[in-house]
Amino acid sequence: MKNYVYFFGGGKADGSADMKNLLGGKGANLAEMNHLGMPVPPGFTITTEVCQHYYNCNQNFPDELGTQANKAIGKIEEIMGAGFGNTDNPLLVSIRSGARQSMPGMMETVLNVGLTTHTIPGLIHKTNNDRFVYDAYRRLIMMYADVVMEKASRKEPEEDSGIRQRLEKIMEEHKTEKQYTTDTDLTSDDLKMLVNVFKKEISDVLGEEFPDNPTEQLWGGIKAVFQSWNGTRAVNYRRIENIPSEWGTAVNVQSMVFGNMGEDSATGVAFTRNPATGESKFFGEWLSNAQGEDVVAGIRTPNPLNEDTKTKDTKNIISLEMAMPNIYKKLTDIRINLENHYTDMQDIEFTIQKGRLWMLQTRAGKRNGAAAIKMAVDMASEGLINKRTALKRVNPEQLDELLHPMLDLKSEKRATLIAKGLPAGPGGAVGKIVFTADDAELWHNRGEKVILIREETSPEDIHGMHAAEAILTAKGGMTSHAALVARGWGKCCIVGCGDIHINTKKREVSMGKTILKEGDWITMNGTIGKVYTGKVELIPSDPDTHVEYRTLMKWADEIRQLKIRTNADTPKDAAQAINFGAEGIGLCRTEHMFFDESRIMAIRKMILAENKSERQSAVMELLPFQKEDFRGILKEMGEKPVTIRLLDPPLHEFITLTEDQIGDLAEHIGQNPSNIKKRISNLHELNPMLGHRGCRLGIAYPEITQMQSRAILEAAAELTKEGISVSPEIMIPLVGTFTEFLDQEAIIRKVAKEVLKETKVEFNYTVGTMIELPRACLTADEIAESAEFFSFGTNDLTQTTYGFSRDDIGSFLPDYLDRKILSHDPFQSLDVAGVGKLISMAVKLGRGVNPELKIGICGEHGGDPASIQFCKDNGLDYVSCSPFRVPIARLAAAQAEL
Ligand code: PEP
Ligand code: MG
């Protein structure tokens, strides 16, 4: 017969810590704590298979479950010396969820199950405390009505009129009437009266009686917890955390122990190390005469666990160490025991009932980035784990927390969420809202912190984007202009925020029901794409002061095989990236070099030129700028390879102009505004992302390719002459056919010959291509005949493989994710099944022709840990990402080897 029920208690257990898939994290660890000889209230775990059965079989349980559960209850009764439903000496149980992966607060709990009008007298007799018993009863009624009778039965109350709110309101009114300030002021008579009023309210509102039968309560509770696996909160959480819904939750039924039985009782939570700093100090909070929910609810300020971790807010309240030294000593032994056993920081819950310590839970504790790094490195130094395990312990994304200011978690929890979008640039930011780039710069210059809100951004906005603390756009996807630019700077940015509607004329924006005016404060969490009203506290960043961060990075570099390069367009970004550990530039987008106000005119002039000679003169105007740029960047990088991509501007990014801008441009180039408008309209493209860009531009206007190669090669020659060795790699963009590559390569090689003749300086350079079109992947063997390197431009490759416009995906992606049509945004993490297949094929075809072919990736995926694993598995030589993602890529590349 299949085991659906796993018992634990009295130092024995059917399960163990390695059975998380079947017993959930909580159940597996309760079993394990029994094996470790720790005091755990006895109970049993109903397996996750039962949850799967429940959902697969029309919300029914397997036949054997009842018998197995009853047998387990018998064992609990034996250990506790009490009986479930026994009128003289009743046993009460808790019913809690427990999934494979912790989903804190996302599912339901029912406590004090087994209290009925029949068992109440027995418990009063046993505890000699009728106030305690009636308080437990009113808690049971409130929880049960809410969780079992309302939520699990899918009764959908109007907002704020759920049964729990109604009962709370009744209790609050009674407290006001009696002029009580806290729940503890309620006397047993008050509570006796309240439970009767509660029952009547439940019957009136829900049309059902609160059950007065312990078995009915038990199975109602178990069902409700399984039901909460598919509650809205749990479903949303799973979507965010990528937890499969097939896993199901386990249910733990466990003997109740009470922390609210008087001053010798207490309840608390603790971490075996500090989860905010990583320090190896036992850290936690407790409350005397209270139940677990009181600590979490934050109604009373909890006391500190020990003297060592007191803060200025808690220095005058008594610690557990002082109040109950014996118990504290036991708890510290358990702390050491647990850490040695699990070799990781544990988050524990405990209850002290009448001077006796009980452990209710242990699990790997959640920690912030800085703490995760410190703990991993410390534990390796202590010999608790090895270096490889230490490297695995830190989620690469957590490094972001050291690299950007982040929102203070506690303040964020209290903040009012007003909009959600795509998390394009990580970190937190607080600022006053403005709607134009000019205002952003103006306000910034007068010392204000601003957040720039735009429908979408264009190169025209660059100065305002730079001045702003953060950027918020209504449109755009993870590889839109705003996203790329912000990420390059490590700036907080949220894009594709469909919830916002901007009225630039009125200088206001609506976000859901909230209307905000220019100058109003907002806060953004770019790591998760959330926007809040007002100011939320920020925690500043400074990775270099973090000793353990440097150690962990050193360990990562020892192990990883993939090289890490960066996408950088300026010497400043390049220097930043080197600081973060970049080993080369994988993509220098030359069109980004023209974002600067003084240059954007020149590139517009070139794009709008009507004939070859006009274009030639515009192009030649750009030559000195370009040479200077390349000198700067090549000099900064020295011997490190620098991949410079020839011009690839999607035209709309440069010629979407306002009347004023057309006026300025007309003046600058001495043309009539109407002429310029005509030319813009001639150049208008329906699909600029698939239009006249990439090598198509250099093919139509070879003078551009000539000028750019000359600028690169002359800069390289000059630096070589000055004794600085450099290593430029010239990259031809958006190649779809071998012949396109040959056409552009010929121009570059010809210029190289000329430069060599003119300067008489020899240096190494290579010519390669981006692979960003499916056709390039399919014909990679042909291209590899001539190309010296491949760099996968997975932004465009994703766009062209799916046929999703990278700029417009924001309008439909949320639906795709909500309805699980896509499991994730393919512009953020590589679509291994489709785009990945093309990449694998191109690598094989390319290396088949040229085994030495250097291959990298420079799309945004180059900084995504899951995609980095794919790159390693497919034999790429390097990944290239924005400077602020370099440390993340270094760690992810090391993890890819483990
Ligand atoms: C790409 O397409 O992946 C790429 C890196 O180029 P861009 O984003 O500039 O089009
Ligand atoms: Mg591209």
Side-chain angles (χ1 to χ4, degrees):
M1 195 174 54
K2 203 162 193 170
N3 247 4
Y4 293 116
V5 167
Y6 283 69
F7 177 78
F8 54 84
K12 294 203 182 91
D14 298 336
S16 58
D18 55 3
M19 294 169 76
K20 285 200 177 68
N21 294 0
L22 188 66
L23 303 181
K26 184 184 228 117
N29 286 329
L30 284 169
E32 193 72 12
M33 283 200 289
N34 270 283
H35 295 308
L36 294 172
M38 293 174 185
V40 177
F44 59 90
T45 306
I46 304 177
T47 67
T48 52
E49 285 179 357
V50 175
C51 187
Q52 291 153 11
H53 182 285
Y54 180 77
Y55 282 107
N56 292 338
C57 302
N58 217 2
Q59 314 205 342
N60 284 307
F61 291 130
D63 292 341
E64 306 87 330
L65 182 65
T67 322
Q68 293 185 11
N70 284 341
K71 210 166 133 202
I73 289 177
K75 288 196 200 170
I76 304 178
E77 290 176 330
E78 209 173 292
I79 293 177
M80 295 307 284
F84 190 61
N86 185 307
T87 48
D88 296 332
N89 188 8
L91 168 74
L92 305 190
V93 296
S94 64
I95 306 174
R96 293 186 161 94
S97 62
R100 217 190 261 202
Q101 189 176 317
S102 131
M103 294 171 51
M106 299 299 140
M107 286 182 280
E108 304 295 353
T109 295
V110 192
L111 303 177
N112 304 338
V113 169
L115 257 188
T116 65
T117 52
H118 310 287
T119 55
I120 282 175
L123 195 64
I124 292 177
H125 183 72
K126 186 169 149 186
T127 57
N128 197 17
N129 186 344
D130 60 347
R131 189 199 176 278
F132 158 74
V133 175
Y134 276 101
D135 189 47
Y137 195 43
R138 72 100 192 151
R139 286 176 197 253
L140 167 67
I141 297 176
M142 282 175 126
M143 254 185 226
Y144 198 93
D146 172 35
V147 172
V148 185
M149 300 176 72
E150 188 169 80
K151 287 207 186 91
S153 328
R154 302 232 175 274
K155 293 191 172 127
E156 304 276 349
E158 302 265 301
E159 209 176 309
D160 292 336
S161 62
I163 190 71
R164 181 147 202 150
Q165 282 103 324
R166 287 169 185 269
L167 301 183
E168 263 160 13
K169 194 159 160 247
I170 293 173
M171 193 161 109
E172 279 313 308
E173 280 168 5
H174 184 72
K175 274 163 58 186
T176 316
E177 198 182 301
K178 293 265 181 153
Q179 298 185 331
Y180 295 157
T181 49
T182 67
D183 292 359
T184 42
D185 295 334
L186 292 163
T187 65
S188 66
D189 283 339
D190 291 324
L191 291 162
K192 253 184 237 172
M193 185 280 293
L194 276 176
V195 293
N196 287 327
V197 180
F198 280 6
K199 285 184 192 172
K200 169 138 188 350
E201 179 79 2
I202 291 169
S203 150
D204 289 349
V205 174
L206 302 178
E208 269 183 88
E209 299 299 317
F210 172 74
D212 201 29
N213 173 318
T215 309
E216 195 182 325
Q217 288 177 1
L218 177 71
W219 288 101
I222 293 173
K223 239 183 190 181
V225 175
F226 279 133
Q227 201 74 34
S228 69
W229 174 252
N230 272 347
T232 318
R233 260 178 304 154
V235 170
N236 286 340
Y237 186 82
R238 284 207 292 278
R239 190 166 46 81
I240 295 164
E241 297 289 316
N242 271 327
I243 300 175
S245 60
E246 306 77 66
W247 281 3
T249 181
V251 169
N252 295 291
V253 178
Q254 195 176 13
S255 168
M256 283 295 303
V257 284
F258 294 96
N260 56 342
M261 273 197 169
E263 291 307 312
D264 57 351
S265 299
T267 186
V269 293
F271 296 88
T272 56
R273 296 185 189 215
N274 186 321
T277 63
E279 265 182 313
S280 182
K281 284 185 175 173
F282 199 17
F283 179 88
E285 297 179 327
W286 69 289
L287 275 177
S288 74
N289 199 8
Q291 273 202 309
E293 54 176 350
D294 304 332
V295 182
V296 187
I299 303 162
R300 284 162 62 189
T301 307
N303 299 42
L305 194 67
N306 46 34
E307 296 299 294
D308 205 18
T309 58
K310 278 188 162 179
T311 62
K312 65 177 191 310
D313 296 330
T314 58
K315 70 174 189 290
N316 294 324
I317 38 184
I318 191 162
S319 66
L320 187 72
E321 186 179 13
M322 299 310 278
M324 302 186 187
N326 289 340
I327 300 263
Y328 180 73
K329 167 80 180 55
K330 274 191 193 142
L331 213 49
T332 51
D333 289 346
I334 288 176
R335 170 200 178 207
I336 293 166
N337 205 342
L338 283 175
E339 270 213 353
N340 285 339
H341 183 72
Y342 285 99
T343 67
D344 196 4
M345 186 269 273
Q346 297 291 297
D347 162 0
I348 61 175
E349 284 177 23
F350 62 90
T351 283
I352 299 156
Q353 175 175 316
K354 292 199 161 296
R356 186 161 173 198
L357 174 67
W358 292 99
M359 295 297 295
L360 299 187
Q361 167 152 303
T362 186
R363 61 182 170 193
K366 290 215 188 300
R367 59 207 77 179
N368 68 22
I373 297 165
K374 176 157 176 58
M375 282 178 204
V377 173
D378 283 357
M379 285 185 186
S381 314
E382 291 160 24
L384 207 56
I385 55 177
N386 60 25
K387 278 189 198 177
R388 295 172 79 87
T389 308
L391 283 166
K392 279 198 257 182
R393 282 282 165 82
V394 181
N395 174 350
E397 299 286 355
Q398 285 187 308
L399 298 179
D400 252 348
E401 294 168 32
L402 292 193
L403 309 174
H404 307 276
M406 301 299 269
L407 297 191
D408 172 60
L409 254 180
K410 274 197 183 145
S411 318
E412 185 173 8
K413 269 195 190 144
R414 289 194 297 268
T416 313
L417 178 72
I418 43 172
K420 271 160 96 175
L422 300 172
V430 183
K432 291 181 174 176
I433 58 171
V434 292
F435 299 102
T436 69
D438 289 344
D439 283 339
E441 194 173 52
L442 201 78
W443 291 42
H444 170 78
N445 288 344
R446 62 176 198 234
E448 307 246 31
K449 286 192 184 317
V450 296
I451 289 181
L452 175 62
I453 305 188
R454 302 286 288 158
E455 204 62 42
E456 57 198 333
T457 64
S458 75
E460 202 61 46
D461 294 325
I462 227 68
H463 57 299
M465 294 167 76
H466 201 258
E469 302 299 307
I471 301 139
L472 174 60
T473 70
K475 293 196 181 141
M478 291 295 280
T479 58
S480 62
H481 176 263
L484 287 185
V485 171
R487 216 169 298 134
W489 293 332
K491 194 172 286 243
C492 171
C493 175
I494 298 176
V495 298
C497 187
D499 303 342
I500 67 171
H501 299 282
I502 304 167
N503 188 333
T504 316
K505 269 212 185 104
K506 282 172 109 180
R507 295 186 176 248
E508 63 180 38
V509 58
S510 66
M511 305 198 191
K513 288 181 195 151
T514 316
I515 294 183
L516 296 172
K517 296 213 173 309
E518 182 181 73
D520 285 346
W521 287 92
I522 62 167
T523 298
M524 288 171 39
N525 184 339
T527 310
I528 52 172
K530 290 190 174 171
V531 185
Y532 305 96
T533 44
K535 295 198 231 177
V536 178
E537 201 182 319
L538 278 185
I539 299 171
S541 71
D542 189 4
D544 280 341
T545 57
H546 201 292
V547 184
E548 292 81 11
Y549 162 81
R550 290 205 300 263
T551 310
L552 192 80
M553 283 295 138
K554 195 169 132 272
W555 294 349
D557 292 344
E558 284 163 13
I559 281 190
R560 72 182 160 85
Q561 297 292 317
L562 275 173
K563 295 254 180 261
I564 310 297
R565 296 200 195 180
T566 192
N567 294 358
D569 316 318
T570 63
K572 188 165 154 262
D573 289 353
Q576 170 79 276
I578 291 181
N579 231 345
F580 284 147
E583 296 163 295
I585 288 183
L587 175 63
C588 168
R589 291 177 164 102
T590 51
E591 63 281 1
H592 284 194
M593 295 175 155
F594 300 107
F595 282 167
D596 192 276
E597 192 120 28
S598 60
R599 300 169 176 204
I600 203 157
M601 292 284 191
I603 195 157
R604 284 198 179 124
K605 191 169 156 190
M606 180 197 80
I607 293 171
L608 295 170
E610 293 199 40
N611 54 48
K612 194 171 166 94
S613 74
E614 255 184 38
R615 184 166 313 103
Q616 184 74 29
S617 95
V619 163
M620 290 323 279
E621 255 181 59
L622 292 171
L623 179 66
F625 291 137
Q626 285 264 271
K627 195 164 137 190
E628 229 7 75
D629 289 337
F630 297 139
R631 259 190 72 95
I633 212 154
L634 286 168
K635 191 170 172 191
E636 189 65 47
M637 299 304 287
E639 279 177 346
K640 298 186 176 73
V642 178
T643 308
I644 299 170
R645 175 176 76 183
L646 300 182
L647 208 58
D648 176 17
L651 288 187
H652 68 298
E653 284 189 12
F654 286 87
I655 55 167
T656 308
L657 303 183
T658 62
E659 286 289 328
D660 284 353
Q661 287 164 344
I662 291 177
D664 288 350
L665 184 63
E667 203 176 312
H668 182 81
I669 60 177
Q671 267 206 22
N672 194 323
S674 66
N675 257 3
I676 293 185
K677 277 191 209 160
K678 208 161 89 209
R679 184 75 184 133
I680 289 178
S681 107
N682 282 346
L683 287 174
H684 174 76
E685 293 181 321
L686 287 179
N687 289 308
M689 274 297 187
L690 298 177
H692 200 169
R693 56 175 287 215
C695 67
R696 299 159 200 172
L697 211 60
I699 287 170
Y701 312 129
E703 50 278 15
I704 298 176
T705 308
Q706 279 160 9
M707 179 278 286
Q708 287 205 297
S709 344
R710 179 163 284 277
I712 296 166
L713 297 164
E714 281 186 6
E718 279 179 20
L719 289 165
T720 311
K721 213 178 212 166
E722 290 163 25
I724 302 167
S725 15
V726 292
S727 175
E729 302 174 336
I730 302 177
M731 180 155 77
I732 303 168
L734 216 71
V735 160
T737 74
F738 178 41
T739 43
E740 284 174 328
F741 181 82
L742 286 185
D743 179 276
Q744 293 293 288
E745 188 200 10
I747 298 175
I748 300 164
R749 302 268 182 217
K750 182 161 176 275
V751 172
K753 265 198 198 136
E754 288 165 12
V755 173
L756 176 66
K757 207 163 142 203
E758 289 155 19
T759 62
K760 303 196 175 48
V761 179
E762 288 212 31
F763 55 88
N764 286 330
Y765 77 95
T766 53
V767 184
T769 184
M770 286 191 85
I771 302 283
E772 42 191 346
L773 293 171
R775 196 180 188 286
C777 295
L778 297 166
T779 59
D781 47 349
E782 289 180 12
I783 299 171
E785 293 279 353
S786 287
E788 289 171 282
F789 64 86
F790 281 178
S791 176
F792 287 99
T794 43
N795 301 334
D796 277 312
L797 191 57
T798 301
Q799 165 170 264
T800 48
T801 301
Y802 270 105
F804 288 162
S805 154
R806 49 196 271 197
D807 280 355
D808 301 322
I809 188 176
S811 59
F812 55 86
L813 182 67
D815 288 328
Y816 271 61
L817 296 178
D818 275 350
R819 293 175 34 205
K820 299 204 174 76
I821 294 170
L822 286 179
S823 63
H824 64 268
D825 177 353
F827 286 100
Q828 209 172 352
S829 192
L830 196 77
D831 157 47
V832 170
V835 179
K837 199 181 270 179
L838 284 170
I839 293 177
S840 301
M841 179 195 294
V843 171
K844 276 195 203 98
L845 288 174
R847 290 247 171 89
V849 170
N850 174 8
E852 301 300 309
L853 189 69
K854 200 196 274 184
I855 306 183
I857 176 178
C858 64
E860 289 305 294
H861 306 89
D864 167 61
S867 314
I868 290 172
Q869 175 79 55
F870 171 88
C871 294
K872 141 89 197 146
D873 295 342
N874 281 274
L876 268 61
D877 297 303
Y878 69 86
V879 299
S880 186
C881 55
S882 58
F884 280 84
R885 288 200 80 82
V886 166
I888 296 171
R890 283 162 71 196
L891 179 56
Q895 290 183 349
E897 304 292 334
L898 299 173

